[in-house]
């Protein structure tokens, strides 16, 4: 069907016909890149060793959010969110895009000051944001515990189901002629293409490493580290939570470069199920659920939302974020004809579209809507 | 509420295999034995509801031994995680229990296999064992019209039971062909005990049509079942009825064994002659070592029980019985193999996954189980793929994927339970 | 055991023999739909042994209770999707 068996064969057996670009990885970032590049008229092959959207894409919250950690992070998330909004009419139901908004929950007066600072920041940049006091927060989310100080409501933030978003983006790319090469790992990046596990080669003029937490295996030395996370999904409780809920401490958790941390983060799915996160760990490379981390994460969640304790959970799973030291992704040229589109940490779903746009701009020599310097891989080789 | 238990032997499953194992452990050795079970009463499926009033002779014998051994049976207790070696966490309605053990005997039994067909999700379409379980739990069945269908000797036992309870059993539709069943009939005839059982069933089912090479192709009704279409050879016959009890043999409940890392081959937990699995302190008995029925479960349970308390002699004395029952089980499994026609029963709009309402048409777009799961959420619902997984293995040849805790849905607060500090 | 239990199925009083499961009590109350599936289909018990999750009802305010694995208790308040 959409897996283009015959085109796959010819890509391998006919090394004379080089693709313009080979994108490694069909997670949401790779899929988005393939779509942008195909729209730019380039011939694209996407190489995925496993299931489409099966890496960090399948372990993320699917949050489409603006962040104010830095001007560069804001610019990229804001651009990306606008690109998602432009796509919205075309997105199928399976992507489950819901503009439910984010509530950044403040536990005390100090955090309310932070809420006000964020509100000012967002409003100055054209992002709708309002401060809710304790009473308004309780009305908006009655299942949150008593005694919270308030929250920042960012109305345009949304949630989605990322594996289907990645699949849809890839299918859009294929409709424009992109080819999917699925089922084999890339073992080496070469001057004129990539080599697969069975020894065959895919020939391409440009190579994009969008392999997420595996990207340093393909391009050694890049500043990407694995950062393990846990996720829990509950049975259906429609109406239990209305908005994506995040504690302000989430930012401290995401910021830390070395320690393991948890932060309260609950999201309502279109199905009525609740996604509960979040945890961050370096140095645990096992896919297995880390019981101690899981307990910490759930305890934190129940502190903010006591009635979560009685809800039925269906599954627990893990994933690896690709983290960089300055919390900004790598989008641009690594060397020669090798490009990077990786290092998105916990913002890959949101910034997949902005990443793809900026990458395509650079490959095609177009001007970008936002400055690209903060994301260039070369910032790490100075 | 958090409770901690420390035991020499922990048995999971209070069906025949588990009770036999536990009784042998406790009676012979004076060691502490605890039996856990998910149901609210002991007996598993075959002896459901018989703990207080056993009906069959084997149930009478074994429940008497259970009482004599003064076994600790924890009902309504559901294991979900192994937080540390030789330690299991289980959930009850009231809270969480931690069990520390020296030896573990898995006797988690089997569940029915359901194969989708148009209308299979209607209320009052259920498994054969399922209808029997509900009737044992108090469902009135007198005067109700029942069609029993699917495959396996369970259909006969269920039909006989229902008839005894006053149901009007209209038909037993066995999908296997008559000639396929003959070797099984021969195996029955070789065993006097089974001949007696068989004759008893024949008498009880005297006026109930038993048709081979027949299977349900569609169920219909407004809000619940009203009619079933049965295909027999080249003709389709409609039956107006109140219940369709339809199950296609049994699949073992392997999730606990997989969680513990026991080697599993061809849907059986691999065990040596002592019923010991690949994990030294873990034994397995009953349907999880291969579907084989009551007598085999009892033999294996006893062997596991004696082996777990280092009593090789009484265990060895049961090897011959086990071997004999194993041969019978092999004949049984061959006889009731599923026919190809069953694979083409579902239509595009027939649901493959009942938890997430995923149709076959949606599933067929994906090359394998993992991508289908991720993109349609088939198998990601409350049953954790137990119902659809067994069906898709037959229908699409899709193998199951790996096990992760919780192996059963549990409350958030149960996952938060911290065993090291004994806190919630 | 000849004791009876009285409980409430969708706000209607029902008396059943002690030891009856909640699933059976619901069926005895002539309620044929225990839950509505995600696409709105009526559902009732399939496996009878706590594995299929089709028998989920709300008991005393707690949703997603597997009624075939729970025995009736006096004054239980059981509600189904319909």
């Amino acid at each position: 069907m959409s897996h283009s068996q015959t085109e796959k064969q010819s890509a391998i057996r006919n090394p004379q016909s080089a693709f313009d670009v080979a994108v490694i990885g069909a997670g949401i970032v790779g899929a988005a890149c393939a779509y942008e590049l195909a729209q730019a008229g380039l011939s694209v092959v996407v190489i995925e060793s496993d299931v489409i959207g099966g890496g960090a894409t399948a372990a993320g919250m699917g949050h489409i959010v603006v962040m104010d950690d830095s001007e560069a992070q804001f610019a990229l998330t804001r651009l990306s969110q606008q690109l998602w909004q432009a796509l919205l009419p075309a997105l199928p139901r399976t992507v489950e895009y819901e503009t439910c908004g984010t509530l950044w929950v403040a536990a005390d007066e100090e955090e309310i000051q932070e809420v006000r600072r964020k509100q000012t920041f967002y409003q100055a940049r054209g992002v709708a944001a309002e401060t809710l006091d304790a009473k308004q927060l309780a009305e908006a989310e009655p299942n949150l515990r008593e005694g919270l100080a308030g929250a920042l409501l960012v109305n345009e933030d949304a949630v989605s189901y990322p594996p289907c978003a990645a699949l849809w983006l890839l299918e859009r790319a294929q409709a424009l002629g992109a080819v999917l090469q699925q089922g084999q790992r890339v073992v080496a990046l070469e001057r004129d293409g990539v080599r697969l596990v069975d020894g065959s080669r895919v020939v391409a003029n440009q190579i994009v490493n969008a392999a997420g937490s595996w990207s340093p295996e393909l391009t050694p030395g890049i500043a990407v580290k694995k950062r393990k996370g846990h996720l829990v999904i509950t049975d259906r409780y429609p109406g239990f939570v209305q908005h994506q809920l995040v504690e302000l401490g989430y930012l401290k958790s995401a910021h830390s470069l070395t320690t393991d941390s948890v932060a309260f983060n609950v999201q309502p799915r279109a199905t009525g199920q609740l996604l509960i996160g979040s945890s961050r760990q370096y140095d645990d490379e096992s896919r297995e659920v880390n019981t101690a981390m899981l307990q910490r994460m759930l305890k934190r969640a129940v502190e903010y939302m006591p009635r979560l304790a009685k809800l039925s959970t269906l599954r627990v799973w893990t994933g690896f974020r690709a983290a960089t030291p300055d919390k900004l992704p790598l989008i641009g040229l690594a060397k020669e004809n090798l490009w990077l589109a990786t290092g998105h940490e916990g913002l890959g779903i949101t910034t997949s579209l902005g990443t793809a746009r900026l990458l395509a701009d650079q490959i095609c020599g177009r001007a970008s809507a936002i400055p690209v310097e903060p994301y260039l891989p070369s910032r790490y080789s100075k | 509420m958090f409770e901690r238990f420390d035991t020499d032997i922990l048995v999971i499953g209070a069906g025949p295999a588990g009770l036999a194992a536990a009784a042998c452990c406790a009676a012979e050795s004076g060691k502490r034995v605890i039996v856990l079970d998910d149901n609210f009463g002991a007996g598993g499926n075959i002896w459901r509801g018989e703990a207080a009033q056993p009906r069959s002779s084997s149930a009478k014998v074994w429940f008497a031994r259970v009482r004599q051994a003064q076994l600790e049976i924890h009902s309504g207790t559901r294991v979900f995680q192994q937080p540390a070696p030789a330690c299991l966490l289980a959930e009850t309605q009231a809270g969480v229990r931690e069990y520390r053990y020296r030896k573990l005997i898995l006797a988690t039994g089997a569940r029915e296999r359901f194969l989708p067909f148009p209308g299979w999700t209607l209320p009052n379409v259920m498994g054969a064992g399922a209808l029997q379980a509900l009737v044992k739990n108090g469902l009135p069945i007198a005067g109700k019209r029942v069609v029993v269908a699917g495959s396996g000797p369970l259909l006969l036992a269920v039909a006989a039971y229902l008839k005894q309870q006053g149901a009007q059993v209209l038909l037993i539709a066995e999908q296997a062909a008559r000639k396929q069943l003959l070797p099984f009939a021969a195996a029955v005839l070789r065993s006097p005990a089974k001949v007696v059982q068989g004759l008893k069933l024949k008498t009880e089912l005297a006026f109930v049509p038993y048709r081979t090479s027949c299977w349900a192709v569609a169920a219909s009704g407004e809000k619940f079942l009203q009619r079933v279409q049965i295909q027999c050879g080249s003709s389709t016959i409609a039956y107006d009825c109140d219940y369709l009890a339809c199950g296609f043999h049994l699949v073992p409940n392997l999730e606990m064994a997989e969680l513990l890392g026991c080697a599993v081959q061809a849907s059986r937990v691999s065990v040596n002659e002592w019923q010991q699995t690949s994990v030294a302190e873990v034994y397995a008995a009953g349907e999880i070592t291969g579907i084989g029925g009551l007598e085999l479960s009892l033999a294996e349970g006893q062997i596991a029980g004696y082996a777990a308390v280092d009593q090789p002699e009484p265990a060895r004395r049961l090897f011959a019985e086990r071997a004999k029952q194993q041969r019978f089980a092999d004949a049984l499994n061959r006889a009731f193999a599923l026919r190809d026609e069953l694979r083409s029963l579902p239509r595009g709009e027939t649901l493959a996954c009942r938890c997430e309402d995923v149709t076959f048409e949606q599933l067929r777009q994906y090359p394998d189980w993992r991508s289908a799961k991720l993109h349609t959420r088939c198998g990601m619902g409350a049953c954790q793929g137990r119902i659809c997984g067994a069906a898709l293995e037959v229908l699409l040849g899709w193998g199951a994927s790996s096990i992760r805790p919780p192996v059963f849905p549990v409350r958030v607060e149960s996952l938060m339970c911290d065993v090291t500090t004994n806190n919630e | 055991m000849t004791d009876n239990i009285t409980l409430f199925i969708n706000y209607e009083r029902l008396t059943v023999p002690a030891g009856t499961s909640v699933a059976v009590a619901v069926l005895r109350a002539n309620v044929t739909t225990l839950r509505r599936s995600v696409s709105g289909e009526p559902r009732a018990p399939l496996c009878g042994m706590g594995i299929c999750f089709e028998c989920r009802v709300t008991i005393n305010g707690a949703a997603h209770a597997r009624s075939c694995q729970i025995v009736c208790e006096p004054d239980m308040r059981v509600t189904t999707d319909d």
Side-chain angles (χ1 to χ4, degrees), chain A residues 1-3 50-55 58 93-94 96 161 163-164 166-167 171 182 232-236 269 271 273 276 287 289 291 294-295 298-299 302 308-318, chain B residues 81-83 89 91 93-94 355-356 362 364-368 370-377 379-384 404-406 408-421 423-424:
Chain A
M1 213 215 99
S2 66
H3 298 127
D50 196 16
V51 170
I52 294 160
R93 211 183 31 86
T94 54
E96 293 178 6
Y161 184 59
C164 286
L167 185 60
E171 286 172 350
Q182 196 174 13
V232 173
I233 194 163
T234 68
D235 207 329
R236 288 172 157 81
R269 305 289 312 281
T271 60
Q273 293 170 282
I276 307 174
R287 295 215 70 101
V289 171
T291 313
L294 176 66
Q295 284 163 3
L298 291 175
K299 282 185 179 141
V302 167
L308 271 182
K310 298 292 182 192
L311 302 190
S312 174
T313 65
L314 303 187
R315 279 183 312 120
V316 178
W317 68 109
T318 63
Chain B
Q81 193 176 30
Q82 180 178 43
L89 282 182
E91 189 189 66
Q93 275 185 269
C355 295
E356 299 293 318
Q362 286 173 282
R364 282 186 193 125
Q365 294 173 37
Y366 300 94
D368 56 46
R370 281 187 56 230
S371 59
K373 271 177 105 165
L374 190 60
H375 294 107
T376 66
R377 284 202 292 271
M380 301 244 250
C383 89
Q384 299 181 326
R404 254 192 316 246
F408 218 79
V410 290
R411 296 180 295 268
V412 168
E413 64 189 359
S414 301
L415 286 180
M416 281 163 55
C417 191
D418 185 349
V419 300
T420 54
T421 61
N423 283 332
E424 289 187 79

Side-chain angles (χ1 to χ4, degrees), chain A residues 206-219:
Chain A
Q206 312 290 326
I207 301 165
V208 175
N209 182 347
S213 58
W214 295 278
S215 53
E217 287 172 33
L218 292 172
T219 311

